[in-house]
Amino acid sequence: MGGQHKVPQPIVFPDTNPDDFPLVLVASDARGVLFMLTKEGFFHMYDGLTGKRLMANKVSAEHFFIGGPFEANGGIFGINKTGSVLSLSVNSANMVPYVLNVLRDQPLALSLAQRGDYPGLAPMFQQQFQQFIQQGQYQQAAKLAASSPQGCLRTPATIQLFKSLPATQTSAPLRDYYSVLLDHGKLNEHETMELVQPVILQERKDLIIDWLAKDKLFCTPELGRMVLRLDVESAVTIFKRSGNKEELAKLYAELCQFDQLLAFVKEENFNPNWMALFVSVLNRSPANAAAFARTLIKSPGGPLLDTNAVVDALMERNMVKDTTSLLLDVLENTEEHAALQTKLFEINLKAVPHIANALFENNLFSFYDKQHIAHLCEQVGFYQRALQHYTDIADVRRLLISYGSTMQIEFVVTVFGKFTPEARLELMRELLKNNTNSVPTVAQVGVKFTGPPSANPDPSLFNPHQIIALFEEFQSYEGIFAYLQPIVALFATDKELIFKYIEAASKLGAVKEVETAVRDYEYDPERVREFLKEIRLDNQLPLIRVCDKHGFVSDLAHYLYRNNMTQYLQIYVQQLNPLKTPEVVAALLDENASDESIKELINSVGHLCPVGELVDEVEKRDRLPLLTQWLEARFNDGNKEPATHNALAKILISSGDDRAEPFITNNEYYDPAVVGKYAESHNVSLAFKIYSTRKCSNELVAFTNNNGMFREQARYLVLEQIPELWALVLDNANTHRRSVVDQIIQTVLPEIPKERADLVSATVQAFMHAKLPLELMELLEKIVLNTEGKVWDSQHLQTLLILTAIKADKTKVMDYVVRLDGYDPPSIADMALKYDLPEVAFKIYDKFNVKVKAAEVLVNQIGDLERAKEFAETCNEPAVYSVLASAQLNHNNVSEAIASFLKASDASKYEAVISAAKSSNAFDKLVDYLKMCRQNLQKLSGLKAKEKIESELVYAYAKTNQLSELESFISSNKNTQLQTVGDSCFNEGLFEAARVIFNAIGNWSRLVSCLVKLKNFSAAIEAARKSNHTTSWKEVCRACIENDPPEFRLAQLCGLNLINTAQELDELVHYYEIRGYVKELMALLEAGLTTDTSIALSTTLAILYSKYNLEKLAPHLQLFKKKKLNISKIVNVCVENKQWAEISYLHELDGDFDRAVRVIIEHPEVWKDSKFREVLVKVKSTDRIYDAIKFYLDFAPEHVVELLGVVSNRLDPVKVVQIGQKLDAIYIIQPFLELVQEKNIRELNNVLNELYIQDEDFIRLRESIARFDNFDSIGLAKSLESSQFLEARRVAAHLYRMNKRWKQSVDLSKKDKMYKDSMETIAESKDQGLAEELLRFFIEPEFGVKSPHCFSACLYTCYDLIRPDVVLELAWRHQITDFIFPYLIQTMRDFTTKVNTLHSVAQAQPLPTPGAVPVPGFVMGPNGPVPVGPGPVGPVPVGQPGPPGVLPPGFVMGPNGPVQVGSNGQPGGFLPPPGVLPPGFVMGPNGPVQVGSNGPHGGPPGVGLMPPGQPFGF
């Protein structure tokens, strides 16, 4: 305790618990004690310094098993074995009285009071302090004051006392006092202020820093303000420790420590008055105000200041620069900042316009009031800015007309963007009308707001024709040109617009622009041509461009020739388009220009002139010789251009020059098609020579056809062998084909020598490709059957001849096959079959001894089985019989086919034979065939064939009912296919055969089916046991049920093997139910329950009981309960059957008591009160309980109170009240409401009070009001005060009285003449005015009561409230003095008692001893030394006597401490000792008072008599 020390002290345990031992020990430095818990449940407390036991009590009946210090109350906690937690600590107020009165240990009490700061010893410490002062032991006095409990001696008076004590060379009492205080701990507020003031005057910052570091000072905002002048950091520390967040925030702001301020408010979650802080900064440090505001407005959590208020505050001081900077930092370009944006521009336009202009340039904001800003801009001469902001077109028009000429065109253009197209157009018209120099501006505006060509034009943009029409209004070609020049390329396809542009440019002489337009854009060429002819530009190049581009060259040549501007023709053909020279020459020839001028023009163009077109044009006009010289010159220059050589050839041919044939033969540069065509009309032989020499095959064919030269054409075809040409000539569309073919066959082929057999083959191929079979046959007969002895590949040509005959003329085929022997038999036979000539194929196969093929043709193609049978017998070959057998089988001649297969010993088609035999039911024949197959198994590959044959043999035995052979065969041949055979037999109704097979292979399931079909149920059951399969049991069971009559006993045996599976159980139940065998079904399931108690079985039986035998359902449910039942499934069935009682019971079994209750509520016919209540207490949802209450109120209201009592602990009474009100059944539940009214719920009390009122039961109403106060008392009072019942109105008065509405209560009681009630109310109110008003009410005539008895009773009841002078006055005036005598007697008695008491007190007051206090100017008060002198003294409890001691002369001890005695009676607490009172004064309880005729008075002013001109009391 405050250090380490050891004090031996035994721990004493009670005799009843000698084996007890300490469990936990906790030391409390703050309390100065030790706490201990023992295992047996005892609590011990010891003094922490001496170890003395203070107390020991048993606090727990159970043993403690753990404990420890409890920080919440500075005590100890323990947990006992029951889990209870106990917390124990010291009651500070009772500690010292306990030690003094119970332990009777004053030193220990003093020690504990000092160490634990316990109250209760202040007078003792004050007496001790007085003794130390009187004895001059200032150091001891200082220590005592420092350690005084609750700081009872650490007062301002003590500080003043030490200040007044004289200092010596060795000590200064005040300094020593503060040293003791600082050593002891922290100073209080008064001590701190007194200590710091002189330190600040001495500027001893180091002392303050040291004291703060040691936490010696009591920090307050006032202290912080004082220290701020000396040290800022220390001041901040003081403000922080003071806990005054507002002051600390203000300090941070004034110091401009904004970051620290924000961190502080965030850490403390504190929201100061930010505007006040900002104004403080603005007043103290204007330069930092804007930065502070910026920080607050841009706070991450949202703005902390109203920007508008900040701006107003800054502008009040004309801080334009700071305001602008702030707004630029905090404003955002959003609509919510529109007003501030407007203010920013307004401030700068009025103060610093150039800054405003810079803001406009940066385009930071767009939501300000543009109209207002526009006016301001106009006022300062910013006309462009004004135009940018004006939205009214009248303002814009005015500024543009006045100042538009001084503005840049680009800017003016942007202004127009604010308006609609119509407004823009009107504004442009105004500019053109009022300012002749505005044409460029208007043109630029038009360009800016002209939209590109589009199928869906933008309605906000101009159509270019609108602008053109505008300029045309003012006949301004300059405007049209200036407008269209920048945009004309966009509208290159708008012919009308391009014409306007060409027209304007031509008018202005802009020839190059006209030339560009006619060259690059679209327009009406004829209109432009005529316009250019009409305007006659100085330069004809635009016209030349138009004519050249649009094919008016001839017209151009005629126009220029006729207007003597032939020089432009030379320019045209030489520089612009030499390729148009032929058209120009043609026009000149048509104009009969001279040959020399034409030759000159042609020669000037030279080799650039297109020869072909020129020759054509000249040739048309029969002036070809005009070009001879020019052509020969080109030929001599080595020109290889075909047109040049074509022209020369034409000149030679037309002139009949002998040089024509050598030229044609040797020249390779001319175009044979062109020259040949020309020669056709001049020289036929030269034309054929040109075509044949230059291999112009198509032209040659056409030429020879036209001129009947078929022999030459045929010869050319055979010799050249060109496939494409053959295709052309032999095409069906060629009308001359027959003539050419005749020439080939009759003339050309005989001319071919034997060594050129390739030509013959190629010709045959050509005929084949041309698909000319008849002509080909004619050709081949000519070749193959020729009489000239030429042999042309005999086998190939014979084969080709027969094949061609097959395709073209089938009548000749048989003749060719018989006559010829060198052809290819297989290919010819195949082709004969393909073309449906089976007899030819049979003849070929028979001729060349291919018997099998011949037989196949007979049976397959000819289809004559009899002929085939004869052919087979003739041949007598197994292979032929096999072919015949297959054919017979295909024709369904099964018996004959099997006979043929047997002759051929052919088992290869056993599958087909088996299938056919089955189809025709020829099983007798099939048995023989299959036996043969078994003998030839070695010829068949694989085990599969053996299995198939043997399986089919078994099946054939079955079909022929050869059961003995079947059993014998099966016993010796265990074939894996027996299962399939057995299935087939079963499916076909061969049940006996199937029984034999299934029994042999052990397939018990299938055997069961067979036996069921044979109605051998007993054997079927045995087979089912062997099978042990559900399907078998099910099959036998159903067969037994479906038998006529049903075999229920056997069916039950089967059913018992099915009911143990849920799915089979459902099917079985359904099967029985749909046939109406419900009784037998329930018997079956009941029998099953003896061996199987599965959930499915018991549930199914419960469902059947629900449907068909309800009496058995309840016992069944009780027997099996939840664990053996599917509750939900049974519930669904019971719902269908509307068995509500059973449904409720099922929900109860399932633990779903909520549903059980709900079922009964919904179906009250099954309700039973006791059972319902038993279930209701188990429900989980309180909503269901409320539903039950509603149900009872509606169905069984006589039982509802019992129900409410059962579930009262789970009910919300308010909700019950609401239900009762809603159902208009509140009277029914009134007993319950009275039972739970002890919870004192407002709604409940209101309802019961209302019920009592309605029942006129005012006695119970008063009881309810008295016991339960949580209700709307004022509302109830207001509703009752107008009641017709007196008792109701009395209750209303009582309620007003309870709510201290005294006057309302009294008025109501007076109105009902309940004067006793009104008197009691006023007596309780302690209201003197009401009491005296009631007195007047009882006696004044105006009130109509005039009851002296009530007057007297009121005096008795309100005795303490009524002034005697008022009573005397009223009694005297109304002559009822006899009625007030009891009051007067009692008043005099009380007055006498008080005077005697005061006198006794005054006599007991001791006299002061002069000179007893050694310190001048100080006396000892109840709370320590106090200074003596005029003015107020330290406050002390009224009536507390001062401690005994000697007071200086002229002082006495009063209730508030020592006071000076004087004769002037001034306030301040003058209490003279006995014998020193002035004449006419006595000592009262609150000081000297004057004695008057009515006795002493100590009440407030205005009561009784007082000294004239002096205030009463203190």
Side-chain angles (χ1 to χ4, degrees), residues 710-712 714-715 718 739-753 779 782 788 790:
F710 301 116
R711 181 183 300 170
E712 288 77 3
R715 189 176 288 112
V718 173
S739 300
V740 177
V741 169
D742 290 342
Q743 290 297 325
I744 291 172
I745 295 173
Q746 302 299 330
T747 304
V748 178
L749 280 180
E751 295 177 356
I752 297 174
L779 177 63
K782 184 72 174 178
E788 299 176 4
K790 292 183 180 180

PDB file of all heavy atoms in Angstrom, residues 710-712 714-715 718 739-753 779 782 788 790:
ATOM      1  N   PHE A 710     -18.339 -26.355-146.621  1.00  0.00           N
ATOM      2  CA  PHE A 710     -18.363 -27.403-145.598  1.00  0.00           C
ATOM      3  C   PHE A 710     -17.195 -28.379-145.751  1.00  0.00           C
ATOM      4  O   PHE A 710     -16.721 -28.912-144.746  1.00  0.00           O
ATOM      5  CB  PHE A 710     -19.690 -28.161-145.655  1.00  0.00           C
ATOM      6  CG  PHE A 710     -20.882 -27.258-145.442  1.00  0.00           C
ATOM      7  CD1 PHE A 710     -21.820 -27.068-146.447  1.00  0.00           C
ATOM      8  CD2 PHE A 710     -21.036 -26.582-144.251  1.00  0.00           C
ATOM      9  CE1 PHE A 710     -22.902 -26.237-146.243  1.00  0.00           C
ATOM     10  CE2 PHE A 710     -22.132 -25.766-144.045  1.00  0.00           C
ATOM     11  CZ  PHE A 710     -23.062 -25.579-145.045  1.00  0.00           C
ATOM     12  N   ARG A 711     -16.785 -28.651-146.995  1.00  0.00           N
ATOM     13  CA  ARG A 711     -15.651 -29.553-147.182  1.00  0.00           C
ATOM     14  C   ARG A 711     -14.412 -28.956-146.519  1.00  0.00           C
ATOM     15  O   ARG A 711     -13.667 -29.654-145.800  1.00  0.00           O
ATOM     16  CB  ARG A 711     -15.412 -29.770-148.674  1.00  0.00           C
ATOM     17  CG  ARG A 711     -14.249 -30.735-148.947  1.00  0.00           C
ATOM     18  CD  ARG A 711     -13.995 -30.865-150.437  1.00  0.00           C
ATOM     19  NE  ARG A 711     -15.179 -31.374-151.108  1.00  0.00           N
ATOM     20  CZ  ARG A 711     -15.322 -31.409-152.440  1.00  0.00           C
ATOM     21  NH1 ARG A 711     -14.368 -30.934-153.222  1.00  0.00           N
ATOM     22  NH2 ARG A 711     -16.427 -31.873-152.980  1.00  0.00           N
ATOM     23  N   GLU A 712     -14.146 -27.638-146.781  1.00  0.00           N
ATOM     24  CA  GLU A 712     -12.964 -26.995-146.182  1.00  0.00           C
ATOM     25  C   GLU A 712     -13.090 -27.005-144.649  1.00  0.00           C
ATOM     26  O   GLU A 712     -12.104 -27.204-143.919  1.00  0.00           O
ATOM     27  CB  GLU A 712     -12.843 -25.559-146.692  1.00  0.00           C
ATOM     28  CG  GLU A 712     -12.415 -25.428-148.149  1.00  0.00           C
ATOM     29  CD  GLU A 712     -13.537 -25.709-149.156  1.00  0.00           C
ATOM     30  OE1 GLU A 712     -14.684 -25.956-148.662  1.00  0.00           O
ATOM     31  OE2 GLU A 712     -13.294 -25.723-150.354  1.00  0.00           O
ATOM     32  N   ALA A 714     -14.761 -29.278-142.798  1.00  0.00           N
ATOM     33  CA  ALA A 714     -14.563 -30.637-142.313  1.00  0.00           C
ATOM     34  C   ALA A 714     -13.095 -31.006-142.326  1.00  0.00           C
ATOM     35  O   ALA A 714     -12.575 -31.610-141.376  1.00  0.00           O
ATOM     36  CB  ALA A 714     -15.358 -31.614-143.170  1.00  0.00           C
ATOM     37  N   ARG A 715     -12.436 -30.670-143.380  1.00  0.00           N
ATOM     38  CA  ARG A 715     -11.010 -30.975-143.471  1.00  0.00           C
ATOM     39  C   ARG A 715     -10.245 -30.248-142.334  1.00  0.00           C
ATOM     40  O   ARG A 715      -9.344 -30.801-141.717  1.00  0.00           O
ATOM     41  CB  ARG A 715     -10.501 -30.553-144.863  1.00  0.00           C
ATOM     42  CG  ARG A 715      -9.064 -31.024-145.146  1.00  0.00           C
ATOM     43  CD  ARG A 715      -8.626 -30.689-146.555  1.00  0.00           C
ATOM     44  NE  ARG A 715      -9.315 -31.533-147.528  1.00  0.00           N
ATOM     45  CZ  ARG A 715     -10.215 -31.086-148.415  1.00  0.00           C
ATOM     46  NH1 ARG A 715     -10.536 -29.814-148.434  1.00  0.00           N
ATOM     47  NH2 ARG A 715     -10.795 -31.925-149.276  1.00  0.00           N
ATOM     48  N   VAL A 718     -10.848 -32.090-138.963  1.00  0.00           N
ATOM     49  CA  VAL A 718     -10.152 -33.371-138.803  1.00  0.00           C
ATOM     50  C   VAL A 718      -8.659 -33.163-138.647  1.00  0.00           C
ATOM     51  O   VAL A 718      -7.993 -33.796-137.811  1.00  0.00           O
ATOM     52  CB  VAL A 718     -10.470 -34.299-139.992  1.00  0.00           C
ATOM     53  CG1 VAL A 718      -9.624 -35.559-139.927  1.00  0.00           C
ATOM     54  CG2 VAL A 718     -11.949 -34.659-139.993  1.00  0.00           C
ATOM     55  N   SER A 739     -24.351 -31.322-142.588  1.00  0.00           N
ATOM     56  CA  SER A 739     -23.548 -31.122-143.802  1.00  0.00           C
ATOM     57  C   SER A 739     -22.087 -31.389-143.524  1.00  0.00           C
ATOM     58  O   SER A 739     -21.372 -32.020-144.328  1.00  0.00           O
ATOM     59  CB  SER A 739     -23.737 -29.691-144.317  1.00  0.00           C
ATOM     60  OG  SER A 739     -25.088 -29.435-144.617  1.00  0.00           O
ATOM     61  N   VAL A 740     -21.633 -30.904-142.357  1.00  0.00           N
ATOM     62  CA  VAL A 740     -20.219 -31.109-142.013  1.00  0.00           C
ATOM     63  C   VAL A 740     -19.948 -32.581-141.748  1.00  0.00           C
ATOM     64  O   VAL A 740     -18.923 -33.127-142.187  1.00  0.00           O
ATOM     65  CB  VAL A 740     -19.866 -30.238-140.783  1.00  0.00           C
ATOM     66  CG1 VAL A 740     -18.427 -30.488-140.366  1.00  0.00           C
ATOM     67  CG2 VAL A 740     -20.074 -28.774-141.064  1.00  0.00           C
ATOM     68  N   VAL A 741     -20.903 -33.303-141.000  1.00  0.00           N
ATOM     69  CA  VAL A 741     -20.695 -34.723-140.703  1.00  0.00           C
ATOM     70  C   VAL A 741     -20.633 -35.547-141.992  1.00  0.00           C
ATOM     71  O   VAL A 741     -19.795 -36.450-142.144  1.00  0.00           O
ATOM     72  CB  VAL A 741     -21.835 -35.220-139.776  1.00  0.00           C
ATOM     73  CG1 VAL A 741     -21.792 -36.739-139.667  1.00  0.00           C
ATOM     74  CG2 VAL A 741     -21.729 -34.574-138.409  1.00  0.00           C
ATOM     75  N   ASP A 742     -21.513 -35.215-142.942  1.00  0.00           N
ATOM     76  CA  ASP A 742     -21.492 -35.950-144.225  1.00  0.00           C
ATOM     77  C   ASP A 742     -20.155 -35.796-144.912  1.00  0.00           C
ATOM     78  O   ASP A 742     -19.598 -36.761-145.457  1.00  0.00           O
ATOM     79  CB  ASP A 742     -22.621 -35.436-145.119  1.00  0.00           C
ATOM     80  CG  ASP A 742     -23.994 -35.845-144.607  1.00  0.00           C
ATOM     81  OD1 ASP A 742     -24.048 -36.797-143.774  1.00  0.00           O
ATOM     82  OD2 ASP A 742     -25.004 -35.218-144.971  1.00  0.00           O
ATOM     83  N   GLN A 743     -19.593 -34.575-144.897  1.00  0.00           N
ATOM     84  CA  GLN A 743     -18.301 -34.348-145.531  1.00  0.00           C
ATOM     85  C   GLN A 743     -17.201 -35.119-144.825  1.00  0.00           C
ATOM     86  O   GLN A 743     -16.277 -35.631-145.469  1.00  0.00           O
ATOM     87  CB  GLN A 743     -17.985 -32.844-145.526  1.00  0.00           C
ATOM     88  CG  GLN A 743     -18.858 -32.033-146.462  1.00  0.00           C
ATOM     89  CD  GLN A 743     -18.678 -32.433-147.936  1.00  0.00           C
ATOM     90  OE1 GLN A 743     -17.580 -32.789-148.395  1.00  0.00           O
ATOM     91  NE2 GLN A 743     -19.786 -32.455-148.693  1.00  0.00           N
ATOM     92  N   ILE A 744     -17.325 -35.221-143.438  1.00  0.00           N
ATOM     93  CA  ILE A 744     -16.292 -35.966-142.696  1.00  0.00           C
ATOM     94  C   ILE A 744     -16.336 -37.440-143.065  1.00  0.00           C
ATOM     95  O   ILE A 744     -15.290 -38.055-143.316  1.00  0.00           O
ATOM     96  CB  ILE A 744     -16.523 -35.773-141.181  1.00  0.00           C
ATOM     97  CG1 ILE A 744     -16.226 -34.337-140.780  1.00  0.00           C
ATOM     98  CG2 ILE A 744     -15.642 -36.721-140.365  1.00  0.00           C
ATOM     99  CD1 ILE A 744     -16.620 -34.005-139.348  1.00  0.00           C
ATOM    100  N   ILE A 745     -17.577 -38.042-143.069  1.00  0.00           N
ATOM    101  CA  ILE A 745     -17.687 -39.485-143.310  1.00  0.00           C
ATOM    102  C   ILE A 745     -17.394 -39.839-144.779  1.00  0.00           C
ATOM    103  O   ILE A 745     -16.660 -40.795-145.063  1.00  0.00           O
ATOM    104  CB  ILE A 745     -19.095 -39.965-142.904  1.00  0.00           C
ATOM    105  CG1 ILE A 745     -19.284 -39.778-141.380  1.00  0.00           C
ATOM    106  CG2 ILE A 745     -19.314 -41.412-143.289  1.00  0.00           C
ATOM    107  CD1 ILE A 745     -20.696 -40.057-140.912  1.00  0.00           C
ATOM    108  N   GLN A 746     -17.968 -39.039-145.681  1.00  0.00           N
ATOM    109  CA  GLN A 746     -17.889 -39.391-147.088  1.00  0.00           C
ATOM    110  C   GLN A 746     -16.583 -38.951-147.739  1.00  0.00           C
ATOM    111  O   GLN A 746     -16.062 -39.633-148.630  1.00  0.00           O
ATOM    112  CB  GLN A 746     -19.077 -38.765-147.847  1.00  0.00           C
ATOM    113  CG  GLN A 746     -20.437 -39.182-147.315  1.00  0.00           C
ATOM    114  CD  GLN A 746     -20.662 -40.674-147.419  1.00  0.00           C
ATOM    115  OE1 GLN A 746     -20.131 -41.348-148.333  1.00  0.00           O
ATOM    116  NE2 GLN A 746     -21.438 -41.236-146.488  1.00  0.00           N
ATOM    117  N   THR A 747     -16.023 -37.828-147.313  1.00  0.00           N
ATOM    118  CA  THR A 747     -14.901 -37.257-148.067  1.00  0.00           C
ATOM    119  C   THR A 747     -13.601 -37.273-147.280  1.00  0.00           C
ATOM    120  O   THR A 747     -12.567 -37.740-147.762  1.00  0.00           O
ATOM    121  CB  THR A 747     -15.234 -35.809-148.473  1.00  0.00           C
ATOM    122  OG1 THR A 747     -16.458 -35.797-149.203  1.00  0.00           O
ATOM    123  CG2 THR A 747     -14.128 -35.204-149.297  1.00  0.00           C
ATOM    124  N   VAL A 748     -13.623 -36.812-146.057  1.00  0.00           N
ATOM    125  CA  VAL A 748     -12.367 -36.562-145.341  1.00  0.00           C
ATOM    126  C   VAL A 748     -11.765 -37.853-144.823  1.00  0.00           C
ATOM    127  O   VAL A 748     -10.559 -38.084-144.992  1.00  0.00           O
ATOM    128  CB  VAL A 748     -12.610 -35.579-144.192  1.00  0.00           C
ATOM    129  CG1 VAL A 748     -11.335 -35.353-143.408  1.00  0.00           C
ATOM    130  CG2 VAL A 748     -13.143 -34.258-144.725  1.00  0.00           C
ATOM    131  N   LEU A 749     -12.611 -38.783-144.163  1.00  0.00           N
ATOM    132  CA  LEU A 749     -12.039 -40.001-143.588  1.00  0.00           C
ATOM    133  C   LEU A 749     -11.385 -40.893-144.666  1.00  0.00           C
ATOM    134  O   LEU A 749     -10.300 -41.437-144.428  1.00  0.00           O
ATOM    135  CB  LEU A 749     -13.117 -40.790-142.834  1.00  0.00           C
ATOM    136  CG  LEU A 749     -13.452 -40.272-141.418  1.00  0.00           C
ATOM    137  CD1 LEU A 749     -14.518 -41.140-140.780  1.00  0.00           C
ATOM    138  CD2 LEU A 749     -12.207 -40.267-140.537  1.00  0.00           C
ATOM    139  N   PRO A 750     -12.009 -41.043-145.822  1.00  0.00           N
ATOM    140  CA  PRO A 750     -11.315 -41.843-146.848  1.00  0.00           C
ATOM    141  C   PRO A 750      -9.978 -41.235-147.261  1.00  0.00           C
ATOM    142  O   PRO A 750      -9.084 -41.952-147.735  1.00  0.00           O
ATOM    143  CB  PRO A 750     -12.312 -41.852-148.007  1.00  0.00           C
ATOM    144  CG  PRO A 750     -13.645 -41.669-147.344  1.00  0.00           C
ATOM    145  CD  PRO A 750     -13.381 -40.753-146.217  1.00  0.00           C
ATOM    146  N   GLU A 751      -9.807 -39.931-147.080  1.00  0.00           N
ATOM    147  CA  GLU A 751      -8.557 -39.293-147.464  1.00  0.00           C
ATOM    148  C   GLU A 751      -7.447 -39.527-146.451  1.00  0.00           C
ATOM    149  O   GLU A 751      -6.278 -39.293-146.760  1.00  0.00           O
ATOM    150  CB  GLU A 751      -8.778 -37.774-147.599  1.00  0.00           C
ATOM    151  CG  GLU A 751      -9.739 -37.397-148.730  1.00  0.00           C
ATOM    152  CD  GLU A 751      -9.978 -35.906-148.783  1.00  0.00           C
ATOM    153  OE1 GLU A 751      -9.434 -35.205-147.868  1.00  0.00           O
ATOM    154  OE2 GLU A 751     -10.685 -35.430-149.674  1.00  0.00           O
ATOM    155  N   ILE A 752      -7.815 -39.998-145.230  1.00  0.00           N
ATOM    156  CA  ILE A 752      -6.799 -40.122-144.171  1.00  0.00           C
ATOM    157  C   ILE A 752      -5.947 -41.354-144.449  1.00  0.00           C
ATOM    158  O   ILE A 752      -6.481 -42.455-144.601  1.00  0.00           O
ATOM    159  CB  ILE A 752      -7.483 -40.241-142.804  1.00  0.00           C
ATOM    160  CG1 ILE A 752      -8.273 -38.962-142.496  1.00  0.00           C
ATOM    161  CG2 ILE A 752      -6.460 -40.485-141.687  1.00  0.00           C
ATOM    162  CD1 ILE A 752      -9.085 -39.051-141.235  1.00  0.00           C
ATOM    163  N   PRO A 753      -4.665 -41.216-144.479  1.00  0.00           N
ATOM    164  CA  PRO A 753      -3.775 -42.373-144.688  1.00  0.00           C
ATOM    165  C   PRO A 753      -3.785 -43.279-143.454  1.00  0.00           C
ATOM    166  O   PRO A 753      -4.148 -42.864-142.352  1.00  0.00           O
ATOM    167  CB  PRO A 753      -2.422 -41.707-144.914  1.00  0.00           C
ATOM    168  CG  PRO A 753      -2.507 -40.377-144.274  1.00  0.00           C
ATOM    169  CD  PRO A 753      -3.918 -39.943-144.396  1.00  0.00           C
ATOM    170  N   LEU A 779     -20.409 -43.846-138.476  1.00  0.00           N
ATOM    171  CA  LEU A 779     -18.962 -43.677-138.657  1.00  0.00           C
ATOM    172  C   LEU A 779     -18.234 -44.985-138.391  1.00  0.00           C
ATOM    173  O   LEU A 779     -17.341 -45.399-139.157  1.00  0.00           O
ATOM    174  CB  LEU A 779     -18.473 -42.580-137.708  1.00  0.00           C
ATOM    175  CG  LEU A 779     -16.964 -42.304-137.707  1.00  0.00           C
ATOM    176  CD1 LEU A 779     -16.512 -41.798-139.067  1.00  0.00           C
ATOM    177  CD2 LEU A 779     -16.617 -41.277-136.631  1.00  0.00           C
ATOM    178  N   LYS A 782     -18.668 -47.606-140.939  1.00  0.00           N
ATOM    179  CA  LYS A 782     -17.821 -47.254-142.084  1.00  0.00           C
ATOM    180  C   LYS A 782     -16.397 -47.735-141.857  1.00  0.00           C
ATOM    181  O   LYS A 782     -15.702 -48.149-142.797  1.00  0.00           O
ATOM    182  CB  LYS A 782     -17.868 -45.726-142.269  1.00  0.00           C
ATOM    183  CG  LYS A 782     -17.099 -45.230-143.477  1.00  0.00           C
ATOM    184  CD  LYS A 782     -17.808 -45.583-144.783  1.00  0.00           C
ATOM    185  CE  LYS A 782     -17.089 -44.935-145.988  1.00  0.00           C
ATOM    186  NZ  LYS A 782     -17.732 -45.312-147.269  1.00  0.00           N
ATOM    187  N   GLU A 788     -12.502 -51.864-147.631  1.00  0.00           N
ATOM    188  CA  GLU A 788     -11.236 -51.460-148.228  1.00  0.00           C
ATOM    189  C   GLU A 788     -10.059 -52.154-147.564  1.00  0.00           C
ATOM    190  O   GLU A 788      -8.932 -51.966-147.961  1.00  0.00           O
ATOM    191  CB  GLU A 788     -11.071 -49.940-148.095  1.00  0.00           C
ATOM    192  CG  GLU A 788     -12.183 -49.168-148.816  1.00  0.00           C
ATOM    193  CD  GLU A 788     -12.059 -47.675-148.588  1.00  0.00           C
ATOM    194  OE1 GLU A 788     -11.071 -47.264-147.931  1.00  0.00           O
ATOM    195  OE2 GLU A 788     -12.949 -46.931-149.021  1.00  0.00           O
ATOM    196  N   LYS A 790      -8.896 -51.716-144.493  1.00  0.00           N
ATOM    197  CA  LYS A 790      -8.194 -50.980-143.431  1.00  0.00           C
ATOM    198  C   LYS A 790      -8.640 -51.520-142.069  1.00  0.00           C
ATOM    199  O   LYS A 790      -9.800 -51.731-141.828  1.00  0.00           O
ATOM    200  CB  LYS A 790      -8.500 -49.498-143.517  1.00  0.00           C
ATOM    201  CG  LYS A 790      -7.911 -48.829-144.757  1.00  0.00           C
ATOM    202  CD  LYS A 790      -8.189 -47.356-144.743  1.00  0.00           C
ATOM    203  CE  LYS A 790      -7.591 -46.675-145.986  1.00  0.00           C
ATOM    204  NZ  LYS A 790      -7.858 -45.231-145.977  1.00  0.00           N
TER     205      LYS A 790
END
